[in-house]
Amino acid sequence: MTVSPASDPSGRVVAGRASYLVVHNTSEVVTPDATGMRVVRYPRGAVVFRDGRVLEIGPGAELLRRHGEARPINANGRLVTPGLVDCHTHMIFAGQRAGEFQRRIRGESYAAIAASGGGIRATVAATGAAREDALEKNLAARLERWRANGCTTVEIKSGYGLTPSAEIRMLELMRGAVQRVPLRVARTALLLHALPESHAGRRDAYVEEMAAVVLPELVRRDLAGAVDVFCDPVGFKVEECRVLLARAKALGLAIRVHAEQTKRFGGAKLAAEMGALSADHLECAKEEDWRALAEAGTVGVLLPVSALTLRERLPQAKMLRASGARVAIATDFNPGSAPAQSLLECGALVARLVGLDAEEILLALTWNPAKALGLEAQVGHLTPGASGDAIAWECETLEELPYWMPAVRADTVFVRGADLALPAVERRVWP
Ligand code: NIG
Ligand code: FE
């Protein structure tokens, strides 16, 4: 995944004593361990950041005493966790499709709406008609909303361009937007999303064009760290996806798959077989698909708002646990299937609909999505050496995180060890 150096605020904004701080007087500090296998809790704990990274985590009174030189930040009895990681969004787009949502509520299927000129292609048209500076500004505003909601790492996919040059342009605009926002962004090129009209009946030519023109550009210009495909009857066939993903892998790019969304179609097994970082959606996956993901070390990503919006089912916790797979939760933010703007709210939904407990939800919002981005060495946990990305939440216990709806708000967001102010407008308008 590409992480923009320009999004690193530690060098620009923070200097001297401000880059050495101790967050203390917490109710508890809770984090996955470095392996992501278990959750560790430090009642009345503290966490020390230095030069953008976690220096130490442990008992509050002791750390405060030993780090007398650090700037103390009083958490006022709040819960502190790692910053959340949203590993699946389609955040760069124009317009909205609320009308389609109404059609679906009245019973039309996602596939029928797509076939009648709506769906992904409607957003491609709206995005193509938007001014580039508006797209970039809008994206930056969205990223600020994510930060206000407690996300410190966000993945963004291209995918509403559908031509080589338009997809590349989306990735460039992402790079521009990220420079305005102190957040870590991972860019993904979603290259097989929908077949444009121009290629009707020429599917193989489209796959070849994306592979031959876009993939080398991604590598040459460091535009994206991963490539994604929509493996679905509404999107692309397993064999088409395999061709593109194999070419991406050969160039050293990580791969990810939208799998088993509207139908069980073979995407999960393809992801496992090809060593994808993640297989996402999985509403129609079976237990054997989850077992294949577990064996391959591929993260299974649940997108609860997409499942709800398309009126599909989510898997149950018992089966997920038995499979041994790593489970992440993401917003899938997009105008068609998931107008979801709070990752923590998605966690609250999964707790209720899937049956994961508070510790499992925390893992699914931090370490596991970091692994889906190939970033688990740096983010998703507060172990020494990790990036100083943390949230002091407006609640006291871990169990409250998936409990309150609307979701608990972030009081303070630390990105690379810096507690930069949150956008005032978000503090006022967000629930
Ligand atoms: O993840 N499944 C494909 N892509 C999106 C939906 C995109 C759209 O409907 O605009 C998803 O659900
Ligand atoms: Fe998606």
Side-chain angles (χ1 to χ4, degrees):
M1 290 279 147
T2 296
V3 175
S4 170
S7 69
D8 183 351
S10 62
R12 290 179 297 151
V13 188
V14 188
R17 198 168 99 96
S19 69
Y20 180 22
L21 46 91
V22 52
V23 184
H24 69 100
N25 192 25
T26 69
S27 56
E28 57 175 343
V29 182
V30 186
T31 179
D33 69 0
T35 66
M37 294 308 286
R38 68 193 186 94
V39 168
V40 197
R41 302 175 76 145
Y42 300 89
R44 302 196 61 77
V47 53
V48 182
F49 299 126
R50 182 151 209 179
D51 299 331
R53 292 174 187 272
V54 177
L55 182 66
E56 208 179 336
I57 180 169
E62 185 196 321
L63 261 56
L64 199 55
R65 199 174 56 247
R66 283 204 286 105
H67 294 276
E69 296 292 298
R71 176 162 70 96
I73 306 241
N74 189 337
N76 293 315
R78 296 192 165 100
L79 168 74
V80 172
T81 72
L84 306 186
V85 178
D86 193 349
C87 68
H88 184 141
T89 86
H90 305 251
M91 211 181 262
I92 184 159
F93 65 84
Q96 45 81 8
R97 304 203 322 253
E100 279 183 17
F101 178 54
Q102 293 302 306
R103 284 168 68 183
R104 271 206 303 277
I105 284 174
R106 292 190 207 106
E108 264 185 85
S109 73
Y110 185 76
I113 291 170
S116 73
I120 293 167
R121 284 198 220 121
T123 296
V124 170
T127 305
R131 286 173 48 143
E132 289 190 347
D133 57 342
L135 280 174
E136 191 182 302
K137 206 168 147 210
N138 232 314
L139 177 58
R142 284 177 180 150
L143 287 170
E144 280 295 57
R145 172 161 290 186
W146 261 245
R147 187 167 70 98
N149 284 337
C151 292
T152 50
T153 299
V154 178
E155 183 254 20
I156 312 174
K157 298 177 200 298
S158 70
Y160 291 119
L162 306 191
T163 66
S165 60
E167 294 300 336
I168 287 169
R169 193 66 194 129
M170 295 294 145
L171 293 160
E172 289 170 344
L173 292 176
M174 286 179 208
R175 191 136 75 177
V178 168
Q179 286 175 10
R180 304 169 184 236
V181 184
L183 203 75
R184 190 184 294 260
V185 167
R187 294 188 296 271
T188 301
L190 171 50
L191 298 183
L192 299 184
H193 199 194
L195 189 75
E197 289 295 342
S198 58
H199 287 67
R202 296 193 301 125
R203 304 182 65 87
D204 290 350
Y206 187 70
V207 175
E208 177 55 31
E209 219 173 285
M210 285 294 175
V213 181
V214 184
L215 292 178
E217 275 298 281
L218 300 183
V219 177
R220 193 176 67 80
R221 296 175 54 208
D222 196 18
L223 282 171
V227 170
D228 200 341
V229 294
F230 182 22
C231 185
D232 195 274
V234 183
F236 290 82
K237 298 181 189 121
V238 171
E239 281 317 311
E240 293 163 342
C241 294
R242 192 196 305 275
V243 167
L244 187 94
L245 295 177
R247 301 269 286 271
K249 258 184 89 168
L251 290 172
L253 292 157
I255 58 172
R256 306 183 59 188
V257 182
H258 280 68
E260 329 298 357
Q261 183 182 12
T262 70
K263 192 176 174 213
R264 186 160 181 256
F265 202 55
K269 290 216 170 133
L270 178 73
E273 174 199 317
M274 297 193 74
L277 285 178
S278 73
D280 307 49
H281 280 289
L282 303 166
E283 291 89 344
C284 303
K286 293 218 165 114
E287 190 167 351
E288 61 180 86
D289 299 316
W290 280 95
R291 279 203 303 267
L293 296 178
E295 274 162 35
T298 297
V299 178
V301 183
L302 301 179
L303 307 167
V305 173
S306 179
L308 281 175
T309 305
L310 301 193
R311 303 176 124 185
E312 278 166 354
R313 294 167 95 89
L314 283 157
Q316 292 306 295
K318 195 171 160 210
M319 184 273 281
L320 294 178
R321 288 180 195 126
S323 78
R326 295 222 179 240
V327 179
I329 300 166
T331 59
D332 192 21
F333 181 58
N334 74 71
S337 64
Q341 302 185 70
S342 163
L343 179 60
L344 186 52
E345 198 85 15
C346 294
L349 289 172
V350 168
R352 286 158 176 83
L353 296 167
V354 176
L356 296 183
D357 68 25
E359 292 194 358
E360 291 168 321
I361 295 287
L362 183 72
L363 283 168
L365 296 175
T366 54
W367 201 96
N368 291 347
K371 183 165 168 61
L373 299 176
L375 291 175
E376 74 275 18
Q378 294 106 290
V379 302
H381 51 99
L382 294 172
T383 56
S387 184
D389 301 349
I391 312 294
W393 297 99
E394 288 187 354
C395 70
E396 291 174 13
T397 66
L398 174 68
E399 286 67 27
E400 287 175 86
L401 278 188
Y403 168 71
W404 295 108
M405 297 188 80
V408 175
R409 301 198 313 181
D411 174 76
T412 310
V413 176
F414 300 88
V415 181
R416 300 193 201 217
D419 58 332
L420 303 182
L422 292 174
V425 60
E426 289 298 338
R427 298 296 293 153
R428 269 187 279 114
V429 302
W430 197 245

